[in-house]
Amino acid sequence: MSARFEELDWRPTPLGAISLRRRRDPASGADVYEVKLDDDFLMTSLFTEGEVALARLGLAEAPQGELDVVVGGLGLGYTAEAALRDPRVRSLLVVEALGEVIEWHERQLVPVGARLFGDTRFRPVHGDFFALAADPEGFDPEAPQRRFHAILLDIDHSPQHVLRPSNAALYEPAGLRRLARHLHPGGVFALWSDDPPEQRFTADLAEVFPGARAHTVTFDNPLHGGTSANTVYVGRTPAA
């Protein structure tokens, strides 16, 4: 049995002080892992339905056949793990801005770290997803201008509530067009958001990814009672 509360790691970073904490949930007795950036909660293992749905809904729209996939943001690893459950995925590149987060997984300080690093399809890239999305060379430093079948993004709280002001450019039509260059024809872009579906962003997304739509993902919330909801936006580039 673990301690009731333990700070597993704390580091100063260019984005702020990041910490990984583990606490015991008094209701279930299970360990809950939480990540904070300064005083903001970024993620928790108590709710992973939205992260899993991002992979599930995004890859459901991907082309048939083997898939090369990018995940923006490693976090606690649940989107990456869910993507690797799809047997079509032959390679998974996960772009993470904080080397400390990658190290948590390497050191198996988080629950899915061993599974990710034990899968030969998984490769972490230490880099700024937003800068790489805008760069014609793309996401893979080992293969410039490489294209992918799906890009799954879970970094900002929502297109309207970003962690850094510079991230906002990605969610405008011009930024989405730059990102789309890294997809094969018929490739998918999917995005997690903690806010309800937003009509303006859905319209901007549809300018670049025809037929784009927003999915509402609901789940039980034992902290507040009742249910909570996330949004997953999914769009697809025109087929060749």
Side-chain angles (χ1 to χ4, degrees), residues 2-11 17-25 30-46 75-76 78 100-101 104 107-111 223:
S2 65
R4 293 183 62 185
F5 177 88
E6 184 178 5
E7 187 170 73
L8 300 176
D9 198 16
W10 181 97
R11 310 275 188 94
I18 192 166
S19 60
L20 173 66
R21 302 135 42 107
R22 179 177 60 200
R23 65 176 177 85
R24 194 184 316 147
D25 180 51
D31 284 341
V32 176
Y33 293 79
E34 298 169 333
V35 179
K36 290 184 68 177
L37 185 65
D38 290 329
D39 293 327
D40 292 332
F41 276 96
L42 291 186
M43 61 201 73
T44 174
S45 65
L46 194 60
L76 290 173
Y78 291 103
E100 294 83 358
V101 174
W104 293 344
R107 294 169 57 194
Q108 300 181 25
L109 294 180
V110 292
L223 290 180

mmCIF file of all heavy atoms in Angstrom, residues 2-11 17-25 30-46 75-76 78 100-101 104 107-111 223:
data_model
loop_
_atom_site.group_PDB
_atom_site.id
_atom_site.type_symbol
_atom_site.label_atom_id
_atom_site.label_comp_id
_atom_site.label_asym_id
_atom_site.label_seq_id
_atom_site.Cartn_x
_atom_site.Cartn_y
_atom_site.Cartn_z
ATOM 1 N N SER A 2 0.609 2.168 -0.903
ATOM 2 C CA SER A 2 1.407 3.382 -0.996
ATOM 3 C C SER A 2 1.011 4.355 0.112
ATOM 4 O O SER A 2 -0.003 4.209 0.780
ATOM 5 C CB SER A 2 1.187 4.046 -2.364
ATOM 6 O OG SER A 2 -0.148 4.489 -2.488
ATOM 7 N N ALA A 3 1.862 5.373 0.305
ATOM 8 C CA ALA A 3 1.526 6.442 1.237
ATOM 9 C C ALA A 3 0.288 7.178 0.744
ATOM 10 O O ALA A 3 -0.044 7.166 -0.442
ATOM 11 C CB ALA A 3 2.706 7.400 1.355
ATOM 12 N N ARG A 4 -0.393 7.848 1.669
ATOM 13 C CA ARG A 4 -1.620 8.562 1.279
ATOM 14 C C ARG A 4 -1.329 9.695 0.312
ATOM 15 O O ARG A 4 -2.156 10.037 -0.531
ATOM 16 C CB ARG A 4 -2.325 9.089 2.523
ATOM 17 C CG ARG A 4 -2.892 7.986 3.421
ATOM 18 C CD ARG A 4 -3.641 8.569 4.611
ATOM 19 N NE ARG A 4 -4.791 9.355 4.176
ATOM 20 C CZ ARG A 4 -5.571 10.056 5.010
ATOM 21 N NH1 ARG A 4 -5.295 10.070 6.308
ATOM 22 N NH2 ARG A 4 -6.595 10.729 4.557
ATOM 23 N N PHE A 5 -0.154 10.299 0.409
ATOM 24 C CA PHE A 5 0.232 11.349 -0.525
ATOM 25 C C PHE A 5 1.740 11.339 -0.668
ATOM 26 O O PHE A 5 2.474 11.212 0.322
ATOM 27 C CB PHE A 5 -0.228 12.724 -0.044
ATOM 28 C CG PHE A 5 0.222 13.836 -0.951
ATOM 29 C CD1 PHE A 5 -0.539 14.219 -2.044
ATOM 30 C CD2 PHE A 5 1.432 14.483 -0.733
ATOM 31 C CE1 PHE A 5 -0.106 15.220 -2.895
ATOM 32 C CE2 PHE A 5 1.869 15.490 -1.582
ATOM 33 C CZ PHE A 5 1.091 15.863 -2.668
ATOM 34 N N GLU A 6 2.212 11.463 -1.919
ATOM 35 C CA GLU A 6 3.644 11.502 -2.166
ATOM 36 C C GLU A 6 3.916 12.345 -3.405
ATOM 37 O O GLU A 6 3.268 12.168 -4.438
ATOM 38 C CB GLU A 6 4.188 10.087 -2.370
ATOM 39 C CG GLU A 6 5.680 10.019 -2.542
ATOM 40 C CD GLU A 6 6.183 8.599 -2.698
ATOM 41 O OE1 GLU A 6 5.351 7.670 -2.760
ATOM 42 O OE2 GLU A 6 7.413 8.416 -2.776
ATOM 43 N N GLU A 7 4.855 13.262 -3.290
ATOM 44 C CA GLU A 7 5.322 14.005 -4.465
ATOM 45 C C GLU A 7 6.468 13.214 -5.073
ATOM 46 O O GLU A 7 7.549 13.111 -4.495
ATOM 47 C CB GLU A 7 5.771 15.407 -4.069
ATOM 48 C CG GLU A 7 6.111 16.278 -5.270
ATOM 49 C CD GLU A 7 6.318 17.729 -4.887
ATOM 50 O OE1 GLU A 7 7.379 18.025 -4.280
ATOM 51 O OE2 GLU A 7 5.438 18.554 -5.173
ATOM 52 N N LEU A 8 6.219 12.652 -6.252
ATOM 53 C CA LEU A 8 7.195 11.774 -6.882
ATOM 54 C C LEU A 8 8.305 12.546 -7.579
ATOM 55 O O LEU A 8 9.424 12.046 -7.699
ATOM 56 C CB LEU A 8 6.496 10.860 -7.886
ATOM 57 C CG LEU A 8 5.406 9.953 -7.323
ATOM 58 C CD1 LEU A 8 4.731 9.182 -8.432
ATOM 59 C CD2 LEU A 8 5.985 9.008 -6.277
ATOM 60 N N ASP A 9 7.983 13.754 -8.056
ATOM 61 C CA ASP A 9 8.995 14.566 -8.719
ATOM 62 C C ASP A 9 8.529 16.016 -8.747
ATOM 63 O O ASP A 9 7.320 16.294 -8.823
ATOM 64 C CB ASP A 9 9.248 14.071 -10.148
ATOM 65 C CG ASP A 9 10.565 14.592 -10.721
ATOM 66 O OD1 ASP A 9 11.412 15.075 -9.945
ATOM 67 O OD2 ASP A 9 10.745 14.511 -11.950
ATOM 68 N N TRP A 10 9.493 16.923 -8.697
ATOM 69 C CA TRP A 10 9.237 18.364 -8.827
ATOM 70 C C TRP A 10 10.429 18.961 -9.537
ATOM 71 O O TRP A 10 11.579 18.708 -9.149
ATOM 72 C CB TRP A 10 9.067 19.015 -7.456
ATOM 73 C CG TRP A 10 8.772 20.498 -7.519
ATOM 74 C CD1 TRP A 10 7.561 21.102 -7.456
ATOM 75 C CD2 TRP A 10 9.735 21.563 -7.635
ATOM 76 N NE1 TRP A 10 7.685 22.467 -7.544
ATOM 77 C CE2 TRP A 10 9.015 22.784 -7.657
ATOM 78 C CE3 TRP A 10 11.131 21.616 -7.749
ATOM 79 C CZ2 TRP A 10 9.647 24.022 -7.777
ATOM 80 C CZ3 TRP A 10 11.754 22.856 -7.872
ATOM 81 C CH2 TRP A 10 11.011 24.027 -7.874
ATOM 82 N N ARG A 11 10.178 19.701 -10.609
ATOM 83 C CA ARG A 11 11.276 20.302 -11.372
ATOM 84 C C ARG A 11 10.904 21.706 -11.832
ATOM 85 O O ARG A 11 9.783 21.935 -12.289
ATOM 86 C CB ARG A 11 11.570 19.490 -12.641
ATOM 87 C CG ARG A 11 11.753 18.004 -12.466
ATOM 88 C CD ARG A 11 13.171 17.621 -12.087
ATOM 89 N NE ARG A 11 13.305 16.180 -12.133
ATOM 90 C CZ ARG A 11 13.751 15.521 -13.208
ATOM 91 N NH1 ARG A 11 14.099 16.179 -14.295
ATOM 92 N NH2 ARG A 11 13.839 14.202 -13.187
ATOM 93 N N ALA A 17 7.113 25.461 -12.816
ATOM 94 C CA ALA A 17 7.464 24.309 -11.986
ATOM 95 C C ALA A 17 6.457 23.186 -12.235
ATOM 96 O O ALA A 17 5.247 23.366 -12.083
ATOM 97 C CB ALA A 17 7.454 24.689 -10.512
ATOM 98 N N ILE A 18 6.969 22.022 -12.627
ATOM 99 C CA ILE A 18 6.084 20.890 -12.899
ATOM 100 C C ILE A 18 6.295 19.840 -11.808
ATOM 101 O O ILE A 18 7.419 19.614 -11.348
ATOM 102 C CB ILE A 18 6.339 20.295 -14.302
ATOM 103 C CG1 ILE A 18 5.209 19.314 -14.671
ATOM 104 C CG2 ILE A 18 7.701 19.632 -14.404
ATOM 105 C CD1 ILE A 18 5.184 18.933 -16.122
ATOM 106 N N SER A 19 5.193 19.243 -11.384
ATOM 107 C CA SER A 19 5.281 18.240 -10.324
ATOM 108 C C SER A 19 4.393 17.057 -10.652
ATOM 109 O O SER A 19 3.336 17.193 -11.278
ATOM 110 C CB SER A 19 4.878 18.830 -8.971
ATOM 111 O OG SER A 19 3.544 19.301 -8.998
ATOM 112 N N LEU A 20 4.843 15.890 -10.220
ATOM 113 C CA LEU A 20 4.096 14.639 -10.333
ATOM 114 C C LEU A 20 3.794 14.174 -8.924
ATOM 115 O O LEU A 20 4.704 14.017 -8.108
ATOM 116 C CB LEU A 20 4.907 13.592 -11.087
ATOM 117 C CG LEU A 20 4.332 12.178 -11.131
ATOM 118 C CD1 LEU A 20 3.029 12.133 -11.930
ATOM 119 C CD2 LEU A 20 5.358 11.205 -11.731
ATOM 120 N N ARG A 21 2.505 13.971 -8.647
ATOM 121 C CA ARG A 21 2.073 13.562 -7.305
ATOM 122 C C ARG A 21 1.256 12.275 -7.395
ATOM 123 O O ARG A 21 0.571 12.035 -8.378
ATOM 124 C CB ARG A 21 1.206 14.658 -6.670
ATOM 125 C CG ARG A 21 1.853 15.999 -6.539
ATOM 126 C CD ARG A 21 0.956 17.146 -6.978
ATOM 127 N NE ARG A 21 -0.418 17.044 -6.544
ATOM 128 C CZ ARG A 21 -0.960 17.800 -5.578
ATOM 129 N NH1 ARG A 21 -0.242 18.701 -4.953
ATOM 130 N NH2 ARG A 21 -2.219 17.668 -5.261
ATOM 131 N N ARG A 22 1.347 11.496 -6.328
ATOM 132 C CA ARG A 22 0.523 10.289 -6.209
ATOM 133 C C ARG A 22 -0.208 10.364 -4.874
ATOM 134 O O ARG A 22 0.385 10.642 -3.840
ATOM 135 C CB ARG A 22 1.384 9.035 -6.267
ATOM 136 C CG ARG A 22 0.576 7.729 -6.126
ATOM 137 C CD ARG A 22 1.493 6.524 -6.274
ATOM 138 N NE ARG A 22 2.534 6.529 -5.240
ATOM 139 C CZ ARG A 22 3.675 5.858 -5.321
ATOM 140 N NH1 ARG A 22 3.951 5.151 -6.399
ATOM 141 N NH2 ARG A 22 4.550 5.895 -4.335
ATOM 142 N N ARG A 23 -1.504 10.146 -4.923
ATOM 143 C CA ARG A 23 -2.284 10.119 -3.696
ATOM 144 C C ARG A 23 -3.224 8.922 -3.722
ATOM 145 O O ARG A 23 -3.563 8.404 -4.793
ATOM 146 C CB ARG A 23 -3.083 11.415 -3.525
ATOM 147 C CG ARG A 23 -4.145 11.649 -4.572
ATOM 148 C CD ARG A 23 -4.952 12.903 -4.294
ATOM 149 N NE ARG A 23 -5.924 13.154 -5.342
ATOM 150 C CZ ARG A 23 -7.137 12.610 -5.382
ATOM 151 N NH1 ARG A 23 -7.519 11.741 -4.444
ATOM 152 N NH2 ARG A 23 -7.975 12.885 -6.372
ATOM 153 N N ARG A 24 -3.635 8.504 -2.560
ATOM 154 C CA ARG A 24 -4.569 7.393 -2.471
ATOM 155 C C ARG A 24 -5.987 7.942 -2.430
ATOM 156 O O ARG A 24 -6.308 8.809 -1.604
ATOM 157 C CB ARG A 24 -4.297 6.545 -1.238
ATOM 158 C CG ARG A 24 -5.009 5.183 -1.279
ATOM 159 C CD ARG A 24 -4.793 4.391 -0.002
ATOM 160 N NE ARG A 24 -3.405 4.455 0.423
ATOM 161 C CZ ARG A 24 -3.045 4.453 1.711
ATOM 162 N NH1 ARG A 24 -3.954 4.413 2.663
ATOM 163 N NH2 ARG A 24 -1.769 4.500 2.041
ATOM 164 N N ASP A 25 -6.828 7.458 -3.337
ATOM 165 C CA ASP A 25 -8.218 7.885 -3.358
ATOM 166 C C ASP A 25 -8.951 7.239 -2.187
ATOM 167 O O ASP A 25 -8.998 6.009 -2.077
ATOM 168 C CB ASP A 25 -8.873 7.470 -4.681
ATOM 169 C CG ASP A 25 -10.319 7.881 -4.751
ATOM 170 O OD1 ASP A 25 -10.614 9.056 -4.490
ATOM 171 O OD2 ASP A 25 -11.164 7.022 -5.076
ATOM 172 N N ALA A 30 -7.543 3.270 -4.567
ATOM 173 C CA ALA A 30 -6.601 3.199 -5.676
ATOM 174 C C ALA A 30 -5.662 4.397 -5.667
ATOM 175 O O ALA A 30 -5.985 5.465 -5.141
ATOM 176 C CB ALA A 30 -7.364 3.152 -7.000
ATOM 177 N N ASP A 31 -4.488 4.225 -6.267
ATOM 178 C CA ASP A 31 -3.550 5.318 -6.433
ATOM 179 C C ASP A 31 -3.999 6.224 -7.574
ATOM 180 O O ASP A 31 -4.368 5.745 -8.652
ATOM 181 C CB ASP A 31 -2.143 4.797 -6.728
ATOM 182 C CG ASP A 31 -1.444 4.259 -5.494
ATOM 183 O OD1 ASP A 31 -1.864 4.607 -4.380
ATOM 184 O OD2 ASP A 31 -0.483 3.489 -5.652
ATOM 185 N N VAL A 32 -3.964 7.528 -7.339
ATOM 186 C CA VAL A 32 -4.302 8.529 -8.345
ATOM 187 C C VAL A 32 -3.055 9.352 -8.615
ATOM 188 O O VAL A 32 -2.417 9.851 -7.680
ATOM 189 C CB VAL A 32 -5.453 9.438 -7.875
ATOM 190 C CG1 VAL A 32 -5.727 10.531 -8.902
ATOM 191 C CG2 VAL A 32 -6.713 8.622 -7.607
ATOM 192 N N TYR A 33 -2.710 9.489 -9.892
ATOM 193 C CA TYR A 33 -1.545 10.268 -10.288
ATOM 194 C C TYR A 33 -2.008 11.610 -10.841
ATOM 195 O O TYR A 33 -2.952 11.658 -11.646
ATOM 196 C CB TYR A 33 -0.727 9.512 -11.344
ATOM 197 C CG TYR A 33 -0.076 8.263 -10.798
ATOM 198 C CD1 TYR A 33 -0.815 7.096 -10.625
ATOM 199 C CD2 TYR A 33 1.268 8.254 -10.435
ATOM 200 C CE1 TYR A 33 -0.231 5.949 -10.108
ATOM 201 C CE2 TYR A 33 1.860 7.113 -9.916
ATOM 202 C CZ TYR A 33 1.109 5.964 -9.760
ATOM 203 O OH TYR A 33 1.681 4.829 -9.244
ATOM 204 N N GLU A 34 -1.332 12.673 -10.426
ATOM 205 C CA GLU A 34 -1.720 14.025 -10.830
ATOM 206 C C GLU A 34 -0.487 14.809 -11.257
ATOM 207 O O GLU A 34 0.594 14.640 -10.676
ATOM 208 C CB GLU A 34 -2.412 14.756 -9.687
ATOM 209 C CG GLU A 34 -3.705 14.093 -9.242
ATOM 210 C CD GLU A 34 -4.262 14.654 -7.946
ATOM 211 O OE1 GLU A 34 -3.459 15.157 -7.126
ATOM 212 O OE2 GLU A 34 -5.489 14.579 -7.755
ATOM 213 N N VAL A 35 -0.668 15.675 -12.257
ATOM 214 C CA VAL A 35 0.404 16.536 -12.740
ATOM 215 C C VAL A 35 -0.039 17.985 -12.585
ATOM 216 O O VAL A 35 -1.150 18.344 -12.996
ATOM 217 C CB VAL A 35 0.752 16.245 -14.212
ATOM 218 C CG1 VAL A 35 1.854 17.190 -14.696
ATOM 219 C CG2 VAL A 35 1.181 14.796 -14.386
ATOM 220 N N LYS A 36 0.853 18.805 -11.991
ATOM 221 C CA LYS A 36 0.583 20.233 -11.848
ATOM 222 C C LYS A 36 1.702 21.030 -12.528
ATOM 223 O O LYS A 36 2.865 20.617 -12.505
ATOM 224 C CB LYS A 36 0.513 20.634 -10.379
ATOM 225 C CG LYS A 36 -0.689 20.112 -9.624
ATOM 226 C CD LYS A 36 -0.713 20.649 -8.198
ATOM 227 C CE LYS A 36 -0.971 22.145 -8.152
ATOM 228 N NZ LYS A 36 -1.055 22.658 -6.764
ATOM 229 N N LEU A 37 1.313 22.149 -13.122
ATOM 230 C CA LEU A 37 2.257 23.116 -13.644
ATOM 231 C C LEU A 37 2.041 24.394 -12.855
ATOM 232 O O LEU A 37 0.986 25.027 -12.969
ATOM 233 C CB LEU A 37 2.038 23.353 -15.136
ATOM 234 C CG LEU A 37 3.049 24.274 -15.833
ATOM 235 C CD1 LEU A 37 4.441 23.645 -15.817
ATOM 236 C CD2 LEU A 37 2.618 24.564 -17.263
ATOM 237 N N ASP A 38 3.024 24.738 -12.023
ATOM 238 C CA ASP A 38 2.839 25.787 -11.024
ATOM 239 C C ASP A 38 1.601 25.429 -10.186
ATOM 240 O O ASP A 38 1.553 24.355 -9.615
ATOM 241 C CB ASP A 38 2.732 27.162 -11.675
ATOM 242 C CG ASP A 38 4.069 27.615 -12.267
ATOM 243 O OD1 ASP A 38 5.116 27.226 -11.718
ATOM 244 O OD2 ASP A 38 4.064 28.330 -13.276
ATOM 245 N N ASP A 39 0.584 26.277 -10.153
ATOM 246 C CA ASP A 39 -0.603 25.993 -9.348
ATOM 247 C C ASP A 39 -1.756 25.397 -10.150
ATOM 248 O O ASP A 39 -2.843 25.173 -9.604
ATOM 249 C CB ASP A 39 -1.094 27.278 -8.665
ATOM 250 C CG ASP A 39 -0.108 27.780 -7.612
ATOM 251 O OD1 ASP A 39 0.548 26.932 -6.971
ATOM 252 O OD2 ASP A 39 0.011 29.011 -7.450
ATOM 253 N N ASP A 40 -1.530 25.157 -11.456
ATOM 254 C CA ASP A 40 -2.594 24.636 -12.320
ATOM 255 C C ASP A 40 -2.521 23.122 -12.408
ATOM 256 O O ASP A 40 -1.444 22.556 -12.649
ATOM 257 C CB ASP A 40 -2.484 25.229 -13.728
ATOM 258 C CG ASP A 40 -2.783 26.706 -13.764
ATOM 259 O OD1 ASP A 40 -3.560 27.166 -12.899
ATOM 260 O OD2 ASP A 40 -2.248 27.393 -14.646
ATOM 261 N N PHE A 41 -3.669 22.458 -12.221
ATOM 262 C CA PHE A 41 -3.743 21.026 -12.467
ATOM 263 C C PHE A 41 -3.805 20.786 -13.969
ATOM 264 O O PHE A 41 -4.672 21.323 -14.660
ATOM 265 C CB PHE A 41 -4.987 20.430 -11.800
ATOM 266 C CG PHE A 41 -4.782 20.095 -10.348
ATOM 267 C CD1 PHE A 41 -5.164 20.985 -9.358
ATOM 268 C CD2 PHE A 41 -4.193 18.896 -9.980
ATOM 269 C CE1 PHE A 41 -4.968 20.683 -8.023
ATOM 270 C CE2 PHE A 41 -3.989 18.582 -8.647
ATOM 271 C CZ PHE A 41 -4.379 19.483 -7.662
ATOM 272 N N LEU A 42 -2.885 19.966 -14.488
ATOM 273 C CA LEU A 42 -2.880 19.658 -15.914
ATOM 274 C C LEU A 42 -3.635 18.376 -16.223
ATOM 275 O O LEU A 42 -4.323 18.290 -17.233
ATOM 276 C CB LEU A 42 -1.439 19.526 -16.422
ATOM 277 C CG LEU A 42 -0.597 20.786 -16.474
ATOM 278 C CD1 LEU A 42 0.742 20.473 -17.140
ATOM 279 C CD2 LEU A 42 -1.322 21.902 -17.219
ATOM 280 N N MET A 43 -3.475 17.370 -15.382
ATOM 281 C CA MET A 43 -4.097 16.078 -15.695
ATOM 282 C C MET A 43 -4.124 15.204 -14.454
ATOM 283 O O MET A 43 -3.390 15.428 -13.489
ATOM 284 C CB MET A 43 -3.338 15.371 -16.819
ATOM 285 C CG MET A 43 -1.903 15.052 -16.498
ATOM 286 S SD MET A 43 -0.889 14.783 -17.967
ATOM 287 C CE MET A 43 -0.745 16.460 -18.591
ATOM 288 N N THR A 44 -5.006 14.209 -14.515
ATOM 289 C CA THR A 44 -5.145 13.251 -13.432
ATOM 290 C C THR A 44 -5.482 11.885 -14.007
ATOM 291 O O THR A 44 -6.150 11.787 -15.040
ATOM 292 C CB THR A 44 -6.243 13.690 -12.446
ATOM 293 O OG1 THR A 44 -6.446 12.644 -11.472
ATOM 294 C CG2 THR A 44 -7.565 13.951 -13.145
ATOM 295 N N SER A 45 -5.028 10.840 -13.340
ATOM 296 C CA SER A 45 -5.380 9.489 -13.775
ATOM 297 C C SER A 45 -6.775 9.087 -13.310
ATOM 298 O O SER A 45 -7.258 8.010 -13.655
ATOM 299 C CB SER A 45 -4.356 8.481 -13.249
ATOM 300 O OG SER A 45 -4.391 8.428 -11.829
ATOM 301 N N LEU A 46 -7.435 9.970 -12.539
ATOM 302 C CA LEU A 46 -8.784 9.664 -12.077
ATOM 303 C C LEU A 46 -9.774 9.700 -13.231
ATOM 304 O O LEU A 46 -10.760 8.960 -13.238
ATOM 305 C CB LEU A 46 -9.195 10.670 -10.997
ATOM 306 C CG LEU A 46 -10.421 10.340 -10.150
ATOM 307 C CD1 LEU A 46 -10.225 9.029 -9.394
ATOM 308 C CD2 LEU A 46 -10.701 11.473 -9.171
ATOM 309 N N GLY A 75 2.060 13.570 -21.431
ATOM 310 C CA GLY A 75 1.295 13.580 -20.190
ATOM 311 C C GLY A 75 1.447 12.294 -19.415
ATOM 312 O O GLY A 75 2.540 11.753 -19.261
ATOM 313 N N LEU A 76 0.342 11.759 -18.939
ATOM 314 C CA LEU A 76 0.351 10.493 -18.218
ATOM 315 C C LEU A 76 0.299 9.286 -19.157
ATOM 316 O O LEU A 76 0.305 8.150 -18.694
ATOM 317 C CB LEU A 76 -0.814 10.441 -17.227
ATOM 318 C CG LEU A 76 -0.670 11.390 -16.031
ATOM 319 C CD1 LEU A 76 -1.956 11.396 -15.194
ATOM 320 C CD2 LEU A 76 0.519 11.014 -15.156
ATOM 321 N N TYR A 78 -2.048 8.175 -21.476
ATOM 322 C CA TYR A 78 -3.241 7.385 -21.779
ATOM 323 C C TYR A 78 -3.681 7.487 -23.235
ATOM 324 O O TYR A 78 -4.210 6.519 -23.795
ATOM 325 C CB TYR A 78 -4.380 7.768 -20.831
ATOM 326 C CG TYR A 78 -4.091 7.321 -19.420
ATOM 327 C CD1 TYR A 78 -3.659 8.229 -18.457
ATOM 328 C CD2 TYR A 78 -4.203 5.980 -19.057
ATOM 329 C CE1 TYR A 78 -3.360 7.820 -17.172
ATOM 330 C CE2 TYR A 78 -3.898 5.554 -17.771
ATOM 331 C CZ TYR A 78 -3.477 6.479 -16.837
ATOM 332 O OH TYR A 78 -3.164 6.068 -15.556
ATOM 333 N N GLU A 100 11.313 16.148 -18.688
ATOM 334 C CA GLU A 100 11.000 15.560 -17.384
ATOM 335 C C GLU A 100 9.840 14.574 -17.485
ATOM 336 O O GLU A 100 9.837 13.531 -16.819
ATOM 337 C CB GLU A 100 10.656 16.674 -16.388
ATOM 338 C CG GLU A 100 11.813 17.588 -16.056
ATOM 339 C CD GLU A 100 12.025 18.707 -17.068
ATOM 340 O OE1 GLU A 100 11.293 18.756 -18.074
ATOM 341 O OE2 GLU A 100 12.936 19.528 -16.852
ATOM 342 N N VAL A 101 8.844 14.906 -18.309
ATOM 343 C CA VAL A 101 7.682 14.021 -18.461
ATOM 344 C C VAL A 101 8.097 12.720 -19.150
ATOM 345 O O VAL A 101 7.668 11.624 -18.752
ATOM 346 C CB VAL A 101 6.566 14.739 -19.241
ATOM 347 C CG1 VAL A 101 5.411 13.788 -19.536
ATOM 348 C CG2 VAL A 101 6.060 15.951 -18.454
ATOM 349 N N TRP A 104 9.720 10.556 -16.609
ATOM 350 C CA TRP A 104 8.795 9.863 -15.701
ATOM 351 C C TRP A 104 8.395 8.505 -16.259
ATOM 352 O O TRP A 104 8.306 7.519 -15.526
ATOM 353 C CB TRP A 104 7.535 10.695 -15.483
ATOM 354 C CG TRP A 104 7.737 11.977 -14.749
ATOM 355 C CD1 TRP A 104 8.819 12.351 -13.992
ATOM 356 C CD2 TRP A 104 6.830 13.086 -14.709
ATOM 357 N NE1 TRP A 104 8.632 13.608 -13.476
ATOM 358 C CE2 TRP A 104 7.436 14.080 -13.893
ATOM 359 C CE3 TRP A 104 5.573 13.325 -15.262
ATOM 360 C CZ2 TRP A 104 6.796 15.305 -13.644
ATOM 361 C CZ3 TRP A 104 4.941 14.539 -15.013
ATOM 362 C CH2 TRP A 104 5.549 15.511 -14.216
ATOM 363 N N ARG A 107 11.373 6.045 -16.256
ATOM 364 C CA ARG A 107 11.648 5.564 -14.894
ATOM 365 C C ARG A 107 10.471 4.793 -14.309
ATOM 366 O O ARG A 107 10.543 4.321 -13.177
ATOM 367 C CB ARG A 107 11.983 6.751 -13.997
ATOM 368 C CG ARG A 107 13.284 7.454 -14.356
ATOM 369 C CD ARG A 107 13.430 8.773 -13.598
ATOM 370 N NE ARG A 107 13.356 8.582 -12.142
ATOM 371 C CZ ARG A 107 13.192 9.574 -11.276
ATOM 372 N NH1 ARG A 107 13.050 10.833 -11.711
ATOM 373 N NH2 ARG A 107 13.133 9.331 -9.981
ATOM 374 N N GLN A 108 9.392 4.690 -15.057
ATOM 375 C CA GLN A 108 8.185 3.968 -14.641
ATOM 376 C C GLN A 108 7.588 4.552 -13.374
ATOM 377 O O GLN A 108 7.078 3.836 -12.502
ATOM 378 C CB GLN A 108 8.479 2.476 -14.485
ATOM 379 C CG GLN A 108 8.966 1.828 -15.774
ATOM 380 C CD GLN A 108 9.239 0.341 -15.648
ATOM 381 O OE1 GLN A 108 8.683 -0.335 -14.795
ATOM 382 N NE2 GLN A 108 10.110 -0.165 -16.509
ATOM 383 N N LEU A 109 7.613 5.884 -13.273
ATOM 384 C CA LEU A 109 6.974 6.567 -12.158
ATOM 385 C C LEU A 109 5.477 6.718 -12.371
ATOM 386 O O LEU A 109 4.749 7.072 -11.436
ATOM 387 C CB LEU A 109 7.595 7.960 -11.959
ATOM 388 C CG LEU A 109 9.057 8.007 -11.524
ATOM 389 C CD1 LEU A 109 9.516 9.458 -11.383
ATOM 390 C CD2 LEU A 109 9.261 7.257 -10.216
ATOM 391 N N VAL A 110 5.015 6.480 -13.590
ATOM 392 C CA VAL A 110 3.592 6.584 -13.928
ATOM 393 C C VAL A 110 3.106 5.218 -14.406
ATOM 394 O O VAL A 110 3.899 4.407 -14.900
ATOM 395 C CB VAL A 110 3.340 7.677 -14.978
ATOM 396 C CG1 VAL A 110 3.613 9.048 -14.396
ATOM 397 C CG2 VAL A 110 4.197 7.467 -16.220
ATOM 398 N N PRO A 111 1.810 4.936 -14.298
ATOM 399 C CA PRO A 111 1.323 3.571 -14.505
ATOM 400 C C PRO A 111 1.593 2.978 -15.876
ATOM 401 O O PRO A 111 1.840 1.773 -15.980
ATOM 402 C CB PRO A 111 -0.182 3.696 -14.242
ATOM 403 C CG PRO A 111 -0.321 4.863 -13.318
ATOM 404 C CD PRO A 111 0.755 5.814 -13.740
ATOM 405 N N LEU A 223 -15.844 12.988 -7.937
ATOM 406 C CA LEU A 223 -15.464 14.119 -7.089
ATOM 407 C C LEU A 223 -16.630 15.064 -6.859
ATOM 408 O O LEU A 223 -16.860 15.546 -5.745
ATOM 409 C CB LEU A 223 -14.298 14.884 -7.715
ATOM 410 C CG LEU A 223 -12.947 14.175 -7.720
ATOM 411 C CD1 LEU A 223 -11.911 15.071 -8.378
ATOM 412 C CD2 LEU A 223 -12.522 13.815 -6.309
#
